[in-house]
Amino acid sequence: MKTLIYSGILLALSFTGLKAQTSEQVSSHTPWTKEDSAAINALALYPDSVRMEIFTACEYPAIIVNVASLQTNSSAAFADLVGSYDKTKQEAIWNLSRYPNLISRLVDGGKKSKEAIDTILNDYPPEIHDDASKYGRDEYDLLSKINDLQNNTNQQFNNIISSYPPDVQKTFNDLLQLPEVMSLLNDHLSLAVRVGDKYKRDPQWVMHKSDSNAAAQAKVNAEQLNDWKQSLQQDSDAQNELKSAANDYATDNGYSQSDVDGPLDSGQVDNTAVYPYSYWFGYPSWYPYQYWYPYPYWYDWGFYYGTNGNMVVFGFPSFYFTNWYFCYPNHWNRYPHLGSAYIHHYYGPHQYRLNTMSRQVVHNWVHANRSYLPADFIKSDASRVSAMKQYGELNQKVANKNGTINTQARDAEFARNQAKYSALNNHPQQAKLPDEKQAVDVRQPFVRQPMVTPQRNQPQVQQRQQPSQRVQTRNAVQQPRYNYNTIQKAQQYQRGAWEQTQPSYHPAPQYSAPARSAPAPSAPARSSGGSFGGGRR
């Protein structure tokens, strides 16, 4: 017995020594840096299965680069094919490409009758039926060329990954269904290489760290969401303004009042699955920001209307809604309590906040406009509402027809009417920076998004009419693998964190938001940023 105990102790000591030696090896050869922490922490909100695949992909930067080059070529070829058509038709064709195998089924075997197309469309969601039926007949030759491009691209992709192990091939096939992940890995390649290096050397340690961070960040996210809910509950003005602003946002994106007013199915909200734009073909060229996932308007709001018309808050307003709000001075003037709620939330008394894209929009708006904001703007809820309202009014008064701000006219208007704008800083030329440094500017001109058919509550009797048919259709549609709400939250956090560590945005000097009525630019630089509101530098 003593011999067994002694042997066990020796074995334990040997194991401990080996573990310490391994830890020392990893530590000495790969020192842990701030960039390493940011790179891995930013992935924590993804589901663990997705994190595993991202870690694996990061071990193969050559594949990431080669696949990105292939995507650049295929998306350019797709844009060339549709580029001669008007914007409405281009958007429709881009939407057709989002649905798995839809274009290939429309063209395989030759041009089809309306009845044959309708049979195919039984396997796809109703929102794509009209476009698929129309262009499946009217643009058969175009769809055939797109199908050939898809097949050729798939073959080149298979050639790129064919010499790698099956599990690596599966990883990259899976990640093609998350186009923003693939785009982020290539845009921030040095961070991806750091992740891959750490994971290759010590996968168990990386997974343990990422699991711990996932739990911690999920807790922070829940606490912040609860804070946001409470701030809306305690400020009826902010709550009512959020509802009104949300209605305006939906209108600006082309929705009718009937689309907005009806109650949503809470089950659909919790488990929304969205078909992203094809990674190979990209998103429409007129979007100045990365826009892989068409958003339902209620997701951007961060709330929906329940069965009794009550406001059900399930998340923060999205980057797109936040960007839209801070894009136009008339929003600050019309909805000052909502703007104040944003500032209160993102500069509230919290030790740690998730570095999301929405937070960066708020942060950079404060910095860009700090000259006119009073010294207590961040800390004083009482004076902030008046400052938001008056600053919006001041900027509206000197706005050019194209929506830009005439800063010289604003200076003169303010100098002449300081009593009218008493809530603002009386000496803007003496303004001081807030304690925080300015973050990478992720604000973008507002561009109308594609409409997404909202999911509505249906009477129970209708849901029970044809259960077998519903199951068959649901299976045939090939619903996206990932839960939309979960993945989007993770991607917004990853983008926010990685942009701060290794920016890919390059802000243009003194760029201001276009007027709402101005047409969207045909092909803006997708990496361009901007300085909204024309604040002094």
Side-chain angles (χ1 to χ4, degrees):
M1 175 63 74
K2 290 183 179 180
T3 302
L4 288 174
I5 294 174
Y6 182 69
S7 300
I9 293 174
L10 285 177
L11 181 61
L13 289 173
S14 299
F15 177 77
T16 303
L18 179 61
K19 185 176 180 182
Q21 184 180 8
T22 303
S23 177
E24 279 183 11
Q25 274 189 328
V26 173
S27 176
S28 62
H29 290 295
T30 57
W32 192 252
T33 68
K34 180 179 179 181
E35 288 76 14
D36 294 325
S37 296
I40 291 181
N41 291 352
L43 303 174
L45 291 184
Y46 284 99
D48 55 359
S49 60
V50 177
R51 264 184 283 143
M52 285 282 290
E53 293 193 315
I54 293 175
F55 291 148
T56 299
C58 287
E59 292 186 75
Y60 299 90
I63 299 181
I64 295 175
V65 172
N66 289 331
V67 169
S69 296
L70 177 58
Q71 192 277 337
T72 298
N73 294 334
S74 61
S75 62
F78 182 86
D80 286 342
L81 287 174
V82 302
S84 61
Y85 297 96
D86 62 56
K87 184 177 175 181
T88 300
K89 184 176 289 188
Q90 286 191 49
E91 190 166 40
I93 301 300
W94 244 299
N95 279 335
L96 291 181
S97 73
R98 292 167 44 213
Y99 296 86
N101 303 317
L102 175 56
I103 290 179
S104 65
R105 291 181 65 181
L106 290 174
V107 301
D108 284 350
K111 193 171 184 178
K112 295 174 174 55
S113 65
K114 183 179 184 304
E115 291 73 19
I117 292 176
D118 288 343
T119 300
I120 293 172
L121 295 179
N122 287 333
D123 294 341
Y124 293 90
E127 64 263 20
I128 199 61
H129 286 193
D130 289 344
D131 284 343
S133 180
K134 176 178 174 58
Y135 296 109
R137 289 174 291 150
D138 296 349
E139 297 295 342
Y140 175 81
D141 291 341
L142 172 62
L143 296 186
S144 294
K145 293 177 182 177
I146 292 173
N147 188 49
D148 291 341
L149 175 61
Q150 176 73 69
N151 291 335
N152 182 50
T153 303
N154 288 342
Q155 183 58 53
Q156 292 182 66
F157 171 69
N158 289 332
N159 292 340
I160 290 173
I161 64 174
S162 61
S163 61
Y164 292 89
D167 63 319
V168 176
Q169 296 183 40
K170 179 181 181 303
T171 289
F172 280 92
N173 271 296
D174 288 345
L175 290 182
L176 289 182
Q177 308 308 311
L178 295 173
E180 186 166 286
V181 169
M182 291 298 298
S183 180
L184 280 165
L185 293 180
N186 183 66
D187 288 347
H188 301 86
L189 190 61
S190 69
L191 295 184
V193 170
R194 287 179 180 275
V195 171
D197 180 64
K198 292 290 181 184
Y199 186 65
K200 184 176 182 178
R201 292 172 183 269
D202 196 346
Q204 289 81 13
W205 185 88
V206 170
M207 284 304 299
H208 173 73
K209 179 174 177 60
S210 98
D211 286 343
S212 299
N213 287 339
Q217 291 174 6
K219 180 181 178 181
V220 170
N221 194 48
E223 290 174 350
Q224 293 182 19
L225 176 56
N226 186 59
D227 289 346
W228 176 247
K229 288 180 179 179
Q230 289 184 357
S231 66
L232 292 177
Q233 291 170 357
Q234 294 167 5
D235 188 345
S236 60
D237 290 324
Q239 184 178 146
N240 291 332
E241 287 184 3
L242 176 57
K243 292 178 182 178
S244 298
N247 191 79
D248 282 354
Y249 176 81
T251 301
D252 281 359
N253 281 296
Y255 293 94
S256 66
Q257 197 62 48
S258 61
D259 291 327
V260 176
D261 287 343
L264 295 174
D265 183 339
S266 61
Q268 292 288 349
V269 172
D270 293 336
N271 300 287
T272 304
V274 168
Y275 294 91
Y277 287 108
S278 162
Y279 177 68
W280 297 130
F281 297 157
Y283 46 85
S285 58
W286 50 87
Y287 289 111
Y289 34 65
Q290 288 206 3
Y291 191 91
W292 292 101
Y293 300 83
Y295 281 67
Y297 60 82
W298 48 262
Y299 182 85
D300 287 336
W301 298 351
F303 75 90
Y304 62 93
Y305 290 106
T307 53
N308 297 320
N310 56 310
M311 184 181 185
V312 182
V313 177
F314 66 89
F316 303 109
S318 76
F319 160 70
Y320 300 99
F321 181 87
T322 304
N323 182 73
W324 169 87
Y325 173 83
F326 285 97
C327 199
Y328 299 107
N330 67 304
H331 295 163
W332 323 333
N333 181 22
R334 187 176 181 185
Y335 307 120
H337 292 89
L338 176 58
S340 178
Y342 266 114
I343 305 300
H344 175 85
H345 179 72
Y346 286 111
Y347 286 95
H350 301 279
Q351 293 183 347
Y352 179 69
R353 285 207 172 280
L354 297 184
N355 197 5
T356 61
M357 300 286 282
S358 293
R359 186 182 189 280
Q360 290 179 36
V361 170
V362 178
H363 176 77
N364 283 305
W365 182 88
V366 171
H367 274 261
N369 297 285
R370 63 185 181 271
S371 298
Y372 280 91
L373 303 178
D376 62 350
F377 181 78
I378 290 175
K379 297 180 180 179
S380 174
D381 293 347
S383 62
R384 189 165 50 243
V385 171
S386 297
M388 289 289 299
K389 185 174 182 63
Q390 291 181 15
Y391 190 58
E393 183 181 353
L394 173 62
N395 280 271
Q396 275 186 271
K397 194 171 185 65
V398 298
N400 298 315
K401 290 184 178 180
N402 65 355
T404 59
I405 303 300
N406 186 328
T407 56
Q408 289 184 342
R410 181 178 62 189
D411 294 344
E413 165 67 17
F414 182 70
R416 288 192 303 267
N417 299 283
Q418 284 199 13
K420 182 179 179 180
Y421 306 109
S422 59
L424 302 181
N425 180 16
N426 291 331
H427 302 285
Q429 68 277 5
Q430 299 176 12
K432 296 181 179 180
L433 279 170
D435 293 337
E436 297 174 295
K437 65 179 181 179
Q438 185 167 7
V440 175
D441 202 340
V442 297
R443 293 169 297 162
Q444 300 289 342
F446 169 71
V447 178
R448 179 170 164 172
Q449 301 174 33
M451 294 179 63
V452 178
T453 303
Q455 300 289 340
R456 296 295 182 197
N457 274 317
Q458 298 295 329
Q460 291 297 316
V461 62
Q462 293 185 12
Q463 294 180 0
R464 290 194 294 265
Q465 283 179 349
Q466 294 179 315
S468 60
Q469 182 178 1
R470 289 203 319 278
V471 171
Q472 180 181 2
T473 301
R474 185 167 59 248
N475 291 336
V477 167
Q478 298 179 338
Q479 286 284 352
R481 172 181 173 185
Y482 305 104
N483 178 280
Y484 174 67
N485 292 343
T486 301
I487 292 297
Q488 275 305 112
K489 289 174 184 176
Q491 289 174 347
Q492 286 296 303
Y493 177 57
Q494 184 191 3
R495 286 184 63 193
W498 279 25
E499 286 298 339
Q500 293 307 302
T501 307
Q502 186 192 54
S504 64
Y505 286 86
H506 306 286
Q510 296 297 318
Y511 189 92
S512 294
R516 288 190 189 180
S517 58
S522 57
R526 293 184 180 177
S527 61
S528 64
S531 176
F532 290 70
R536 301 180 190 184
R537 298 285 177 187

